[in-house]
Amino acid sequence: MALDGIRMPDGCYADGTWELKMNVTDLNRDVSLRVTGEIHIGGVMLKLVEKLDVKKDWSDHALWWEKKKTWLLKTHWTLDKYGIQADARLLFTPQHKLLRLQLPNMKHMRVKVNFSDRVFKAVSDICKTFNIRHPEELSLLRKPRDPKKKKKKLEEAEEEALELEGPLLTPGSASEILYIGPVKGSIYSSPGLYSKTMTPTYDSRDGSPLSPTTAWFGDSPLSEGNPSILAVSQPITSPDVLVKMYKPQSLLDKAKINQGWLDSSRSLMEQDVKENEVLLLRFKYHSFFDLNPKYDAIRVNQLYEQAKWAILLEEIECTEEEMMMFAALQYHINKLSIMSSDNHMNNSEKEVDEVDAALSDLEITLEGGKTSNTLGDITSIPELADHIKVFKPKKLTLKGYKQYWCTFKDITISCYKSREEAHGTPALQMNLRGCEVTPDVNISAQKFNIKLLIPVADGMNEIWLRCDIEKQYAQWMAACRLASKGKTMADSSYNLEVQNILSFLKMQHMNPDPQIIEPITTDINPECLVSPRYLKKYKNKQISARILEAHQNVAQMSLIEAKMRFIQAWQSLPEFGMTHFLAKFQGGKKDELIGITYNRLIRMDAGTGDAIKTWRFSNMKQWNVNWEIKMVTVEFADEPSLAFICAEVDCKVVHEFIGGYIFLSTRAKDQNESLDEEMFYKLTSGWV
């Protein structure tokens, strides 16, 4: 009598086999297979497909172990090696599943993404599909929950109203390339598609750009299936759209949003992301490398959109004059975006040439400038010397600003009571390495202040500098920004920084010639151009008049130049690129904030947002994470180590931000090799 069919008390059969339970998700069907622990995963899938006897392409399917949240992708491994026994339940499911991605422009797209790839790789594939270079700057974020909205139906209605119906994009391999041609007569078909060497790839028959994309589009507004429509800015059509958006009310709200960043070193399935779930695709790291309008039409537009929404939703603070400047640029961009495509076609070459000529002024890199050296840089270091008013706000005195003769040499400001005493001992001296530099400017009031937070042993010293005129302010502000990074005015980026500051100030000027301002027409809707704070403060007609007045400073700009200027102005805001997390510092008694930017860590007061202490990455030796108690420890070359416990957020998210910025700082323009994924994982994973 054969014993192979007799089942033992432990669930195994007499011949050593046991039943492995699986669910085939496509068919919603449970299947059991008789297996042994020595069978490899590939053999299990082969036996399963044979038993199903369904004619279908199963090549994208893989096994998912629900209990352990693990993909069984090593098909040569045996069940024993994976530790799979009779109590396991596996899913046989496609690796590519649908996601609803909300892009930086707040529009939704349905995209098929590999749920078994690490998020870093999945985002890279998505960016290739959308022709966005440098995907390492982006990642996926869970949608923040608005505590005021308790009804799920309301949220669903909001998503549906914003969705672009129809498009389904699938990142494809080289063997699956299907070219979707550009819209006839549109300049928005990006000439430089995804290419790490910035060399455009063209179709040999008609010279049109090739896209590494397999795509299906239904009756979609996406220009008959052309992803380059993502390079077009779509104006906000109704103020109701803004009203429905979630607006963080405090720094703590902003910190809660940042809890939602996905782990880049784990797959979507491992992080409980479901098919058809809404995720936000955002620029995570505010370090935009080699931003070139000739190759980055979509990237530039999506950056502009992310900046626009950050300002409108008050995620970043700006002054009233800055808000009117942003509104004027937005109004100008909206006007140019809806002009006829034929007009744009006639001017597109000219536009690219104009922008190409101005690229040196608009270049947005990690340090903000070029690295070439001249003989003058080597032989002499420029200096500044002028009358500057100085104020110490934390000093117990009723006195205000006091005028000094100040000299700026290397990275040090020396203040003397008079010009004649400049060769003696200074009354006040400040080394600006590692300091925080914040502008405090009001053009109409002729206020040009520079706020400095200078690191000392027990925290930060606050010093305010007041300049008399714009040129003086631009020179001293540029010098302070460089000095904070340990650079002098001999650096070749100094003059570029001065010009950028002057350009930024010029855009905020109110036009003194009122007769040239165009009459207020119905095409301007201030409720869609400025944040709610200013709508409460002024009447719509007043805001419209100020926007049109500010528009005179930008009216001659081309479309791409206006977007670049908007991004550049966004970068100039004091809070730009600051990612906040709630943390408890070692030795501290209350919850505070840790702010992370591309080059430093900042300890901040959770209520006011004031900086308490700053640490530069350039001075960092190493950082470690104690995963059990969620503590991050950072060691520095010449100052005490920093330790904090992450509150309400996985410390992996904070760790990844620090490692991610370190990784991005290693990029170089002459680097033609592919992105070093393994190096990214080593710097951000912690356990790889």
Side-chain angles (χ1 to χ4, degrees):
M1 176 180 173
L3 297 177
D4 60 348
I6 299 176
R7 195 167 184 174
M8 313 297 286
D10 61 358
C12 295
Y13 289 86
D15 61 355
T17 62
W18 42 274
E19 283 192 355
L20 177 63
K21 299 180 181 64
M22 289 174 281
N23 177 269
V24 183
T25 58
D26 286 8
L27 308 176
N28 194 23
R29 178 172 156 192
D30 291 322
V31 179
S32 294
L33 287 181
R34 292 269 295 275
V35 297
T36 67
E38 296 176 355
I39 188 171
H40 54 75
I41 297 299
V44 171
M45 291 194 292
L46 185 61
K47 290 181 80 173
L48 175 61
V49 170
E50 288 175 349
K51 186 170 182 177
L52 290 172
D53 194 26
V54 175
K55 289 187 178 181
K56 178 180 171 68
D57 181 3
W58 300 100
S59 60
D60 186 47
H61 285 60
L63 291 173
W64 167 255
W65 190 359
E66 276 187 309
K67 186 178 179 181
K68 298 289 186 180
K69 291 186 179 180
T70 302
W71 284 99
L72 310 180
L73 299 177
K74 295 176 180 177
T75 53
H76 60 287
W77 277 27
T78 63
L79 294 175
D80 280 345
K81 193 167 183 177
Y82 266 118
I84 295 172
Q85 298 176 347
D87 61 344
R89 183 175 183 271
L90 306 182
L91 297 184
F92 190 54
T93 188
Q95 296 173 72
H96 285 83
K97 300 177 185 293
L98 279 175
L99 267 185
R100 294 180 67 201
L101 282 186
Q102 188 196 68
L103 304 186
N105 64 358
M106 298 296 180
K107 303 301 181 185
H108 289 73
M109 296 188 72
R110 289 186 295 140
V111 183
K112 233 174 191 181
V113 179
N114 192 332
F115 272 52
S116 68
D117 272 343
R118 292 174 172 182
V119 165
F120 186 84
K121 175 68 167 57
V123 170
S124 181
D125 286 344
I126 291 168
C127 289
K128 285 181 182 178
T129 300
F130 293 155
N131 303 329
I132 297 175
R133 294 191 310 133
H134 298 292
E136 67 274 12
E137 297 168 0
L138 297 93
S139 193
L140 298 173
L141 178 70
R142 291 188 188 274
K143 193 169 185 180
R145 292 192 177 276
D146 188 341
K148 295 177 182 177
K149 289 183 180 177
K150 295 182 179 179
K151 294 182 180 179
K152 195 173 180 182
K153 289 183 180 180
L154 187 61
E155 291 182 3
E156 288 173 354
E158 173 188 332
E159 286 174 15
E160 202 63 35
L162 295 172
E163 183 171 10
L164 291 174
E165 297 291 342
L168 165 61
L169 300 177
T170 308
S173 65
S175 61
E176 298 175 309
I177 290 176
L178 170 64
Y179 172 60
I180 307 292
V183 183
K184 189 175 181 182
S186 170
I187 69 157
Y188 299 117
S189 50
S190 172
L193 299 172
Y194 180 84
S195 169
K196 56 184 177 293
T197 57
M198 295 200 311
T199 304
T201 308
Y202 297 98
D203 189 297
S204 58
R205 293 166 296 178
D206 59 7
S208 51
L210 283 170
S211 171
T213 303
T214 300
W216 174 88
F217 296 86
D219 296 330
S220 158
L222 276 186
S223 294
E224 299 173 353
N226 183 13
S228 61
I229 190 66
L230 299 176
V232 183
S233 175
Q234 297 178 343
I236 302 170
T237 54
S238 167
D240 293 340
V241 175
L242 268 174
V243 172
K244 291 178 182 177
M245 294 286 185
Y246 171 62
K247 302 174 190 67
Q249 301 298 313
S250 66
L251 287 171
L252 294 178
D253 288 343
K254 295 177 185 178
K256 286 178 181 176
I257 291 174
N258 291 319
Q259 296 174 20
W261 288 107
L262 295 188
D263 186 340
S264 295
S265 57
R266 296 164 64 210
S267 71
L268 293 168
M269 285 276 276
E270 288 174 288
Q271 299 179 72
D272 295 319
V273 176
K274 308 299 183 187
E275 187 167 11
N276 276 316
E277 186 172 333
V278 175
L279 292 178
L280 317 185
L281 180 68
R282 294 291 185 269
F283 288 88
K284 175 180 180 178
Y285 299 103
H286 291 72
S287 173
F288 314 130
F289 186 70
D290 189 26
L291 194 60
N292 188 325
K294 290 179 72 174
Y295 299 91
D296 291 323
I298 294 174
R299 184 175 170 219
V300 166
N301 186 61
Q302 294 302 318
L303 261 176
Y304 157 71
E305 290 285 350
Q306 185 162 325
K308 178 184 80 176
W309 285 103
I311 289 160
L312 290 176
L313 298 176
E314 298 177 0
E315 293 173 5
I316 186 168
E317 295 290 325
C318 65
T319 66
E320 191 173 302
E321 289 173 333
E322 288 166 345
M323 178 59 75
M324 297 308 160
M325 176 204 64
F326 283 121
L329 281 168
Q330 196 187 148
Y331 172 63
H332 185 62
I333 290 165
N334 291 347
K335 283 182 68 176
L336 294 183
S337 296
I338 59 177
M339 287 172 65
S340 70
S341 60
D342 290 338
N343 289 340
H344 274 305
M345 276 300 290
N346 296 334
N347 298 323
S348 60
E349 291 297 325
K350 182 182 175 184
E351 253 186 29
V352 170
D353 290 342
E354 286 173 356
V355 173
D356 205 23
L359 259 180
S360 59
D361 295 328
L362 295 169
E363 197 167 42
I364 300 171
T365 62
L366 190 64
E367 293 295 336
K370 297 184 178 179
T371 57
S372 59
N373 290 317
T374 64
L375 187 60
D377 294 340
I378 300 168
T379 57
S380 65
I381 297 177
E383 299 174 3
L384 292 175
D386 211 337
H387 284 106
I388 299 287
K389 295 181 179 71
V390 181
F391 176 50
K392 298 180 182 179
K394 288 186 179 178
K395 195 171 180 181
L396 295 174
T397 176
L398 296 175
K399 294 180 181 179
Y401 283 91
K402 186 176 179 180
Q403 184 163 287
Y404 289 91
W405 177 259
C406 297
T407 62
F408 204 134
K409 296 181 180 179
D410 294 327
I411 58 173
T412 301
I413 296 177
S414 301
C415 304
Y416 304 90
K417 291 182 179 178
S418 66
R419 186 171 187 173
E420 290 70 32
E421 296 181 20
H423 296 292
T425 303
L428 176 66
Q429 196 166 52
M430 300 166 276
N431 185 307
L432 269 55
R433 184 189 294 272
C435 77
E436 289 293 307
V437 184
T438 307
D440 180 20
V441 175
N442 187 313
I443 302 291
S444 57
Q446 287 294 289
K447 183 175 79 170
F448 305 104
N449 291 350
I450 302 169
K451 293 183 179 181
L452 302 174
L453 281 174
I454 302 168
V456 291
D458 58 345
M460 308 281 274
N461 275 348
E462 189 170 6
I463 303 288
W464 295 6
L465 307 179
R466 172 167 286 181
C467 300
D468 294 325
I469 58 174
E470 289 184 16
K471 185 177 181 182
Q472 183 190 48
Y473 167 79
Q475 291 172 336
W476 284 76
M477 173 57 96
C480 288
R481 284 177 175 168
L482 285 175
S484 71
K485 302 171 188 174
K487 296 182 177 183
T488 71
M489 285 173 276
D491 192 273
S492 57
S493 64
Y494 172 69
N495 289 329
L496 175 62
E497 183 71 21
V498 172
Q499 292 305 313
N500 284 342
I501 293 169
L502 288 171
S503 173
F504 185 50
L505 295 175
K506 185 181 178 182
M507 284 195 293
Q508 297 177 59
H509 277 236
M510 292 296 103
N511 203 302
D513 196 2
Q515 68 266 21
I516 67 168
I517 298 175
E518 59 190 284
I520 297 176
T521 57
T522 54
D523 70 334
I524 184 166
N525 188 349
E527 293 172 310
C528 299
L529 298 175
V530 301
S531 65
R533 180 187 308 171
Y534 297 104
L535 290 172
K536 294 174 185 175
K537 190 174 181 181
Y538 299 105
K539 293 180 179 178
N540 281 6
K541 285 187 177 180
Q542 291 175 303
I543 298 173
S544 297
R546 290 189 64 180
I547 291 172
L548 290 172
E549 193 176 353
H551 180 249
Q552 300 306 307
N553 297 318
V554 301
Q556 302 307 312
M557 290 182 184
S558 66
L559 179 60
I560 193 72
E561 185 185 355
K563 289 180 183 179
M564 291 289 279
R565 287 289 181 188
F566 195 103
I567 294 167
Q568 189 183 39
W570 176 45
Q571 288 185 304
S572 299
L573 297 177
E575 291 184 6
F576 167 77
M578 185 84 67
T579 306
H580 303 91
F581 296 98
L582 198 62
K584 184 166 283 186
F585 288 82
Q586 198 169 44
K589 294 182 180 179
K590 60 179 182 178
D591 284 344
E592 296 173 280
L593 291 174
I594 181 79
I596 305 176
T597 74
Y598 78 93
N599 64 354
R600 66 198 188 279
L601 299 171
I602 307 167
R603 182 177 181 176
M604 307 171 73
D605 184 284
T608 64
D610 292 340
I612 299 169
K613 178 77 175 171
T614 296
W615 298 268
R616 295 265 162 182
F617 288 159
S618 57
N619 198 33
M620 187 167 66
K621 287 170 62 179
Q622 64 177 20
W623 75 99
N624 304 293
V625 180
N626 184 325
W627 301 105
E628 290 183 9
I629 61 174
K630 298 171 70 174
M631 177 177 278
V632 179
T633 305
V634 189
E635 294 181 20
F636 300 92
D638 54 8
E639 54 185 320
S641 62
L642 159 70
F644 59 89
I645 293 175
C646 302
E648 299 184 6
V649 63
D650 190 338
C651 58
K652 172 64 173 66
V653 178
V654 177
H655 170 60
E656 187 172 304
F657 262 94
I658 297 172
Y661 274 124
I662 299 294
F663 173 76
L664 296 186
S665 70
T666 65
R667 297 180 294 182
K669 278 194 175 181
D670 56 356
Q671 225 172 2
N672 287 333
E673 66 269 18
S674 59
L675 205 60
D676 190 346
E677 281 188 46
E678 289 308 311
M679 178 57 71
F680 177 85
Y681 296 135
K682 283 179 182 177
L683 287 168
T684 60
S685 297
W687 49 75
V688 174

